[in-house]
Amino acid sequence: MLADVIAIRLERLRPDHAEALLSFERQNRAYFARSVPDRGDAYFEHFCDRHRALLAEQDAGACHFHLVMSDDGTLLGRVNLVDAERGEAELGYRIGEQAAGRGVATAAVLEVCRLAAAGYGLSALTAVATLDNPASTAVLRRTGFTPVGELVINGRPGVRYRRRTTG
Ligand SMILES: CC(C)(COP(=O)(O)OP(=O)(O)OC[C@H]1O[C@@H](n2cnc3c(N)ncnc32)[C@H](O)[C@@H]1OP(=O)(O)O)[C@@H](O)C(=O)NCCC(=O)NCCS
């Protein structure tokens, strides 16, 4: 890694995050669309409705959403646990272009694994990455995820990964 690593902290998703999150998604829309499917115009047009829906899912215990923040309060990315059931959940993450390649995803995934075990009662996490997304694959492998199967995501071949959050 050439650039300095950025120190991060996670904030659990709150109602007052909506404005900053919408701005983050708008700024990085084209960047994210290079490696994952674009969210589509409707996502941006109905962002507030969607934000409320995510918070309701979180209140119900099905999901745990987090903003990845720098020490100075800049929103760098998101790391989420969805479909929490029977002690397992699916991990997803995205880090904005301005912070790319500085260890932010790696640190955020390690922190959410710790939270999953210590705060959310989750003993294992799963994640998927397409073969054409080497940065995401690097993040999963270096944070202790191991391949458990192959799949196709939106027409692209990929790998499913799994990691236990506790010893
Ligand atoms: C994938 C993503 C989360 C990585 O975030 P990040 O903060 O840049 O990740 P990190 O800095 O922690 O680690 C990335 C690693 O991948 C490596 N990497 C980046 N591009 C790579 C490439 N083309 N080939 C191989 N490795 C690559 C980096 O070099 C880095 O490893 P290093 O620290 O040893 O140099 C970010 O690019 C992103 O949000 N992409 C769009 C959304 C997405 O793909 N989400 C994941 C869906 S599965």
Side-chain angles (χ1 to χ4, degrees):
M1 191 177 296
L2 296 175
D4 288 344
V5 170
I6 302 177
I8 60 114
R9 60 188 164 80
L10 301 189
E11 286 185 7
R12 189 168 169 87
L13 190 69
R14 301 188 308 255
D16 63 294
H17 284 141
E19 193 180 334
L21 200 47
L22 176 56
S23 170
F24 168 83
E25 290 286 352
R26 279 197 177 124
Q27 279 171 18
N28 289 285
R29 183 173 180 180
Y31 173 66
F32 291 146
R34 298 212 289 267
S35 36
V36 292
D38 180 57
R39 292 194 186 277
D41 291 342
Y43 173 87
F44 295 92
E45 283 159 20
H46 304 290
F47 184 85
C48 288
D49 292 341
R50 185 179 157 80
H51 192 67
R52 275 192 291 275
L54 293 184
L55 289 165
E57 279 186 75
Q58 181 166 263
D59 287 348
C63 303
H64 305 282
F65 303 109
H66 312 85
L67 271 49
V68 182
M69 310 295 294
S70 68
D71 278 351
D72 69 3
T74 304
L75 172 49
L76 305 175
R78 322 176 61 164
V79 59
N80 298 327
L81 303 176
V82 302
D83 296 338
E85 204 178 15
R86 292 191 290 274
E88 298 205 9
E90 176 96 8
L91 166 71
Y93 45 82
R94 47 179 55 199
I95 304 301
E97 186 168 19
Q98 288 185 339
R102 297 177 69 185
V104 172
T106 301
V109 169
L110 287 173
E111 177 60 7
V112 88
C113 287
R114 189 194 67 74
L115 268 178
Y120 306 145
L122 297 168
S123 57
L125 300 180
T126 55
V128 297
T130 50
L131 298 184
D132 58 6
N133 194 344
S136 187
T137 300
V139 169
L140 291 172
R141 286 185 175 269
R142 71 153 59 135
T143 55
F145 282 80
T146 53
V148 292
E150 296 175 1
L151 75 170
V152 175
I153 310 161
N154 301 309
R156 297 146 94 167
V159 175
R160 176 170 294 283
Y161 292 83
R162 191 169 186 278
R163 179 201 200 269
R164 290 197 60 78
T165 61
T166 51

